[in-house]
Amino acid sequence: MEVRVAVDAMGGDRAPGEVIAGAREARSEDVVPVLFGPRDVIAPLAPDLEIVDAPQVVGMHEKPADAAREKRDSSLFASCRAVADGNAHVVVSAGNTGAMLAAGLVEIGRLPDVSRPAIAAPIPAMRGPSILIDAGANADARPEHLMQFAHMGTIFAEEIIGLERPNVGLLSIGEEPEKGNLLTLEAHALLEGADLRFVGNTEGRTLLEGETDVVVCDGFTGNVALKTIEGTIRSVLGALRGEIASSTRGKLGGFLIRPAARGLRARLDPETTGGGYLLGLRGLVVIAHGSSSRVAIANATRMAARGVEHGLVEHLAARLPTSRAETRAGVGSGAVGP
């Protein structure tokens, strides 16, 4: 099928140039990027791509509530509205994450049984990709929210990654069930009684090993963990390049290990995945890093198309526990926010 991807051309630290270049790189017979932004700004850079005029821009540091009130004609909100109206299948944005969440809620809306949408971000683990959820949508969360994140992460892992009955771990400070703060202790008790393959607590030091398929946490913890992993990977790869270039012997060794090093870098580089899915909405949204290059944008656009092709939203709508089941397990219908 032909997937129309609404791309927020003004979202991100390197917009619009890198965003447009990434969208162009991702374009194919099956993937059709549609750029949203001020036409007079982006048209000279993208004469070969479809453009929808959206004159306003949401800044990276603007308050989401202010953007929702004052900038509904921005590239960020207009791209989400295109999905709600059926003019695009999925949105990609490297813009303000909080504003993107607000736009998704205002323009697209939540699935009926979802308390809070959450970001599911692939982790480049050594045994294959794991899923971290929530990676930044909800700085504060309740135990019942974490249980729903676990269900959404499980469906994602099965439908997109192809894992059969993935295991679920709760990110905490120790493997023992009695370790953690009040949130993790109460969430642990809920997850033990859920219809999930729950394996208990998992620690941050094992995230890159991939022993857990779905790692569940609140958005504050998840965002810190994800950025720590990505920063560590960049630092280690950068230090390795520096050591190789520092001597003739190092350069020779680097030449010999180049094929293996390239494969490792491709697997670990955060730009390979490009972003994370905002799960729990009636339409599909992919949130890329604010610092995304054209490579990351291109990969995020392809990632967005895969989610549509696999019917991710439809699977979530069909398979998430109903409100009645959640009520029996202690889940409320809390709105986004503390």
Side-chain angles (χ1 to χ4, degrees), residues 14-328:
R14 304 164 78 173
E18 287 294 289
V19 175
I20 292 172
R24 181 180 291 112
E25 184 178 326
R27 181 178 54 183
S28 68
E29 291 184 0
D30 301 320
V31 180
V32 180
V34 182
L35 302 178
F36 285 72
R39 186 179 297 275
D40 59 340
V41 174
I42 62 178
L45 302 174
D48 55 332
L49 295 176
E50 183 178 343
I51 297 171
V52 174
D53 188 39
Q56 295 179 305
V57 176
V58 176
M60 295 297 284
H61 301 293
E62 289 192 48
K63 293 181 179 180
D66 292 343
R69 283 193 300 268
E70 302 168 4
K71 293 193 173 180
R72 298 288 294 277
D73 289 330
S74 64
S75 56
L76 192 153
F77 278 82
S79 57
C80 286
R81 193 157 55 247
V83 171
D85 293 342
N87 296 319
H89 295 97
V90 60
V91 182
V92 171
S93 177
N96 184 317
T97 300
M100 197 65 194
L101 175 59
L105 290 169
V106 170
E107 303 291 355
I108 300 173
R110 287 180 293 185
L111 288 170
D113 293 308
V114 170
S115 297
R116 296 191 182 186
I119 298 174
I123 301 174
M126 298 305 295
R127 300 179 188 176
S130 298
I131 302 303
L132 179 68
I133 184 169
D134 178 20
N138 303 278
D140 296 290
R142 297 197 295 269
E144 55 267 26
H145 298 146
L146 267 59
M147 184 172 72
Q148 190 168 75
F149 298 166
H151 281 289
M152 291 196 292
T154 296
I155 295 169
F156 176 93
E158 291 176 345
E159 301 298 340
I160 300 298
I161 299 180
L163 299 179
E164 184 176 350
R165 189 118 174 110
N167 62 39
V168 177
L170 179 65
L171 187 59
S172 188
I173 59 173
E175 295 180 353
E176 299 83 357
E178 65 272 12
K179 286 191 174 180
N181 58 15
L182 184 60
L183 173 63
T184 55
L185 292 174
E186 293 184 359
H188 191 284
L190 286 178
L191 288 166
E192 280 189 317
D195 184 21
L196 295 164
R197 190 182 165 199
F198 181 56
V199 295
N201 290 348
T202 187
E203 296 183 72
R205 61 185 173 86
T206 66
L207 291 179
L208 279 177
E209 295 175 10
E211 67 176 22
T212 308
D213 299 321
V214 179
V215 180
V216 178
C217 57
D218 62 273
F220 179 88
T221 302
N223 195 260
V224 171
L226 183 65
K227 289 179 179 176
T228 299
I229 289 171
E230 292 174 347
T232 300
I233 290 172
R234 288 194 182 98
S235 295
V236 170
L237 291 176
L240 180 60
R241 286 194 299 270
E243 288 295 320
I244 289 173
S246 65
S247 67
T248 302
R249 185 177 182 180
K251 292 176 182 177
L252 177 60
F255 176 78
L256 294 175
I257 67 168
R258 183 179 296 172
R262 283 178 174 170
L264 180 64
R265 180 178 179 181
R267 187 166 72 247
L268 294 180
D269 191 344
E271 293 202 335
T272 300
T273 52
Y277 291 101
L278 181 59
L279 302 182
L281 298 174
R282 294 176 181 270
L284 198 56
V285 172
V286 170
I287 297 178
H289 294 292
S291 60
S292 292
S293 69
R294 65 186 65 192
V295 173
I297 294 295
N299 286 328
T301 303
R302 298 184 187 107
M303 176 183 177
R306 285 198 301 274
V308 174
E309 291 164 354
H310 284 265
L312 181 55
V313 172
E314 291 78 10
H315 285 296
L316 287 167
R319 295 182 54 192
L320 280 175
T322 64
S323 297
R324 182 175 298 176
E326 288 173 345
T327 300
R328 288 198 299 268

